[in-house]
Amino acid sequence: MSRSQAKSETLFAQAQQVIPGGVNSPVRAFKAVGGTPPFIARGLGAAIWDADGNEYIDCVGSWGPLILGHARAEVVSAACEAARRGTTFGAPTEVELLLARMIVDAVPSIESVRLVSSGTEAVMSAIRLARAYTDRSKVVKFEGGYHGHSDGLLARAGSGLATLSIPDCPGVPEAITAETIVLPYNNLTAVEDLLASRADEIACVLIEPVAGNMGVVPPAHGYLEGLRRATRNAGSLLVFDEVITGFRVSYGGAQGAYNVIPDLTILGKIIGGGFPVGAFGGRREIMDMLAPSGPVYQAGTLSGNPVACAAGLTTLQLLASEDPYVQLDRRAQFLADGLHQAASRVGVSITINRVASMLTMFFSDQPVVDYASAAASDTERHARFFHAMLDRGVYLPPSQFEAMFVSTAHTDSHAEHICETAKLALEEIAVR
Ligand SMILES: *Cc1c(COP(=O)(O)O)cnc(C)c1O
């Protein structure tokens, strides 16, 4: 196809001179699919335009935050108005209180919440708190689960590490990863056995209640309930990393949808309305161990930044008033059905996992229930499909191990167009 990329190619070459790999976060470099990443110039609603003027339907949504689409007018206005009043004070502001209150009202497990600047930072701080509260040191995570890039959590992680096949990361001392125990996702017995024998070492079990960073993998029936029971019996904290699923799977997150209440919850992405925000919260008794109420230190110059909080607050207010979750679910199902039809028409085996408005089309004829089954997908075929879609104006996540996100800006006609395009793309890659 004749998509012009001259400007993006020039920018990418120049960026590689001054930024490692030319990007500020690894998956953006397209390593898993090859080629040059389009440099994005602007976005509006469901569309983005690159530096060469190509238009795409965006199914990435900045990896999750943009549930209302790009540049939603009310969110942009709120951020601009906040910026005009001053961009940061390093002192408390009312908008932080308003955002915190909305989070507390929405998320069942959260009575008290601390705002930070990224999901990584929120997870890191929640773990410190869990260790202090339990006076234990070990953290259980799951294979293919991604919780940001802090040292202890890079062990067998998803997202960019799965994409780039990075098993262990240089620069992380073994003494630190030794504090992390990695178990397979969706295997309750593995957790029960571990907690039965070593409960007194385990500070917390950290999980994406719906996995989103090995591609979308829903929790098996009874799995989250089982984790709740096992951690409670062991005196370990159950920590839900809802950085993707918070305000996505339902207004109350995955915990609201599955009705399983963790001890601590981590948020990010959507709550910043497209600005850098993370948060962690839980029962007041645990959260009050944080400084200045308690001895566990945690701080940030730009934490609770008023511009970011104004954008996040407006996003949550719109989600609360418009309640788009039924519509998002229906549209995502429509998309999944259409992709299934497109694939079966050309005889390509796929497995689609979908939870609410997050979905992954795996090039696999097997059910995908954990990291091992996700990793068995045909990533080479995914890469060809990705490019065939990109050339036709549909921007998908540039890795098999990531989620597509549907936003309120995606209409039925966008969904139809994506499915029509998928038919053409799948035909193209099937004949070769
Ligand atoms: C994106 C993500 C993070 C990290 O958030 P950042 O803001 O990128 O640091 C943590 N956990 C999950 C589940 C994520 O998807």
Side-chain angles (χ1 to χ4, degrees), residues 46-404:
I48 50 174
W49 288 264
D50 69 16
D52 292 283
N54 301 300
E55 179 176 345
Y56 309 89
I57 298 175
D58 180 21
C59 299
V60 178
S62 189
W63 307 90
L66 299 182
I67 192 166
L68 300 176
H70 290 273
R72 172 77 186 245
E74 296 92 325
V75 177
V76 173
S77 302
C80 291
E81 281 162 27
R84 273 189 219 105
R85 291 190 294 267
T87 56
T88 178
F89 307 103
T93 56
E94 187 176 8
V95 69
E96 295 163 77
L97 163 65
L98 298 177
L99 179 57
R101 205 183 263 152
M102 279 212 89
I103 291 171
V104 167
D105 288 345
V107 184
S109 65
I110 300 185
E111 293 175 352
S112 170
V113 62
R114 171 69 50 94
L115 300 174
V116 296
S117 300
S118 72
T120 295
E121 193 186 352
V123 180
M124 200 182 81
S125 307
I127 284 175
R128 181 178 302 151
L129 186 57
R131 284 175 166 150
Y133 181 80
T134 57
D135 195 23
R136 302 173 181 178
S137 74
K138 296 235 174 336
V139 172
V140 175
K141 75 174 281 287
F142 297 91
E143 207 180 355
Y146 179 70
H147 305 287
H149 64 90
S150 68
D151 282 352
L153 298 174
L154 291 180
R156 285 191 268 160
S159 192
L161 289 101
T163 302
L164 304 175
S165 304
I166 297 176
D168 296 299
C169 180
V172 178
E174 258 173 54
I176 291 178
T177 44
E179 298 300 309
T180 308
I181 298 169
V182 184
L183 296 177
Y185 190 80
N186 266 336
N187 182 335
L188 182 58
T189 315
V191 177
E192 288 173 339
D193 289 352
L194 178 79
L195 288 174
S197 59
R198 299 170 64 183
D200 58 349
E201 298 170 55
I202 313 293
C204 65
V205 172
L206 170 65
I207 188 165
E208 295 174 68
V210 175
N213 286 291
M214 50 179 135
V216 174
V217 180
H221 186 69
Y223 179 58
L224 297 175
E225 292 85 345
L227 293 180
R228 180 63 284 183
R229 206 177 325 111
T231 46
R232 185 174 285 131
N233 292 341
S236 305
L237 298 187
L238 180 61
V239 183
F240 276 4
D241 182 345
E242 297 227 43
V243 171
I244 288 181
T245 55
F247 297 92
R248 163 75 60 183
V249 167
S250 80
Y251 187 71
Q255 59 197 270
Y258 292 90
N259 197 24
V260 174
I261 310 305
D263 300 293
L264 291 174
T265 297
I266 296 146
L267 297 167
K269 297 190 173 128
I270 288 176
I271 62 161
F275 285 80
V277 179
F280 60 105
R283 290 201 304 280
R284 188 166 299 105
E285 159 216 7
I286 305 175
M287 293 303 292
D288 277 349
M289 289 191 71
L290 279 180
S293 331
V296 179
Y297 193 70
Q298 189 284 324
T301 303
L302 292 175
S303 290
N305 175 266
V307 179
C309 286
L313 176 66
T314 303
T315 298
L316 300 195
Q317 285 169 338
L318 288 166
L319 290 173
S321 66
E322 295 179 353
D323 192 11
Y325 293 97
V326 171
Q327 177 209 315
L328 284 169
D329 190 79
R330 196 185 59 73
R331 198 151 287 142
Q333 181 63 47
F334 180 83
L335 186 56
D337 290 345
L339 292 171
H340 261 302
Q341 276 167 19
S344 65
R345 223 184 59 162
V346 294
V348 173
S349 297
I350 58 161
T351 293
I352 297 181
N353 282 354
R354 179 185 77 85
V355 175
S357 56
M358 51 195 285
L359 64 154
T360 299
M361 173 170 151
F362 292 97
F363 284 89
S364 170
D365 54 6
Q366 302 295 318
V368 176
V369 298
D370 57 12
Y371 184 65
S373 46
S377 305
D378 186 342
T379 52
E380 195 264 338
R381 187 168 254 190
H382 169 270
R384 285 197 283 134
F385 176 67
F386 168 84
H387 278 292
M389 293 293 279
L390 192 68
D391 283 343
R392 292 173 172 81
V394 178
Y395 187 90
L396 298 175
S399 162
Q400 176 70 96
F401 308 113
E402 300 286 357
M404 283 171 70

